[in-house]
Amino acid sequence: MKAFIILFTLVAVLTGCTSPKMASIYQTQGVEIAQNAAGDDILNKYSKTIPIQNPHSSLSLCIAQELNNGPVVLTNESYFGSPWWYSYNIPNQQSITINGGQTIKLVEGNHVVANAVTDYQYNAKYFVSYTLTATRHQNNIDYLFSNIKQAQQYTGSTVNDGFENVKTLQRSHPDLVIDALNKEINKIQTCLLK
């Protein structure tokens, strides 16, 4: 009986550590799922087409103004707190800086290719890096995000491995990654209409 209780507890703990896939991400329009080398489902690409009439600014100018490809500092400091009470960090020795670079990679005809980083908050801050290919047509703009990766700013006692593919697991927050990418589109669209 004691062995059964230990086995049951072990299975419960291991099962509690797994995270189910987020079913809704497979239904999200414009999301392309692929598999990484380990066989995990990941966000491969995300595309969206937005209608636009008579933009006041150029696409390349708005991408350069609104997107950011600055350096990102990731650490394994411990983060405590929440939006409702005091929070603080406990410094640790390990931190890495992921260098940014030039945002615009290529402008060719109606196509603009850019690298950028954005972020979102879910109990801690997460950074999302991506490559954007934006194509201007007469009445719309196609936005294609590829090379989508994310990293948690603070990882506590765990080593911070930097940017990794976004898995379709609930604990990886693929829905919040898509929301963050949509906010990038909204910034560009707003700029185009100013």
Side-chain angles (χ1 to χ4, degrees):
M1 183 66 172
K2 186 176 182 181
F4 176 74
I5 293 172
I6 292 172
L7 179 62
F8 179 76
T9 304
L10 182 61
V11 169
V13 167
L14 291 177
T15 305
C17 293
T18 62
S19 176
K21 291 181 180 178
M22 180 174 283
S24 63
I25 203 67
Y26 291 86
Q27 310 303 318
T28 304
Q29 188 173 358
V31 170
E32 179 184 301
I33 306 294
Q35 288 190 337
N36 63 12
D40 300 314
D41 286 357
I42 60 168
L43 292 182
N44 188 43
K45 295 179 182 174
Y46 174 61
S47 61
K48 191 167 188 175
T49 299
I50 305 289
I52 191 162
Q53 297 288 334
N54 304 320
H56 300 164
S57 298
S58 75
L59 182 59
S60 58
L61 176 65
C62 285
I63 288 174
Q65 284 180 342
E66 299 300 327
L67 303 187
N68 176 26
N69 196 28
V72 173
V73 178
L74 307 173
T75 70
N76 66 339
E77 293 177 347
S78 296
Y79 170 81
F80 292 94
S82 84
W84 300 283
W85 65 77
Y86 181 73
S87 62
Y88 57 92
N89 295 324
I90 299 174
N92 204 323
Q93 299 300 318
Q94 189 258 343
S95 70
I96 56 175
T97 300
I98 310 294
N99 289 330
Q102 191 172 354
T103 302
I104 301 280
K105 286 177 55 178
L106 174 71
V107 177
E108 185 175 294
N110 294 334
H111 307 286
V112 180
V113 180
N115 286 332
V117 176
T118 188
D119 60 68
Y120 69 89
Q121 192 82 24
Y122 184 87
N123 295 333
K125 188 174 187 177
Y126 291 82
F127 293 103
V128 178
S129 69
Y130 61 86
T131 299
L132 170 64
T133 303
T135 304
R136 173 82 170 95
H137 301 286
Q138 185 174 355
N139 297 317
N140 60 49
I141 298 175
D142 292 332
Y143 294 95
L144 173 63
F145 295 90
S146 59
N147 197 27
I148 305 167
K149 297 181 184 289
Q150 75 174 337
Q152 187 173 337
Q153 184 176 27
Y154 302 112
T155 57
S157 59
T158 308
V159 173
N160 198 324
D161 293 325
F163 284 94
E164 298 177 342
N165 290 321
V166 181
K167 295 180 183 176
T168 59
L169 302 175
Q170 288 183 6
R171 71 169 179 237
S172 297
H173 321 295
D175 56 335
L176 298 179
V177 170
I178 297 301
D179 288 347
L181 297 178
N182 282 328
K183 288 177 184 172
E184 298 288 83
I185 291 173
N186 291 342
K187 289 193 295 188
I188 296 168
Q189 291 289 120
T190 300
C191 171
L192 287 168
L193 297 173
K194 283 183 181 176

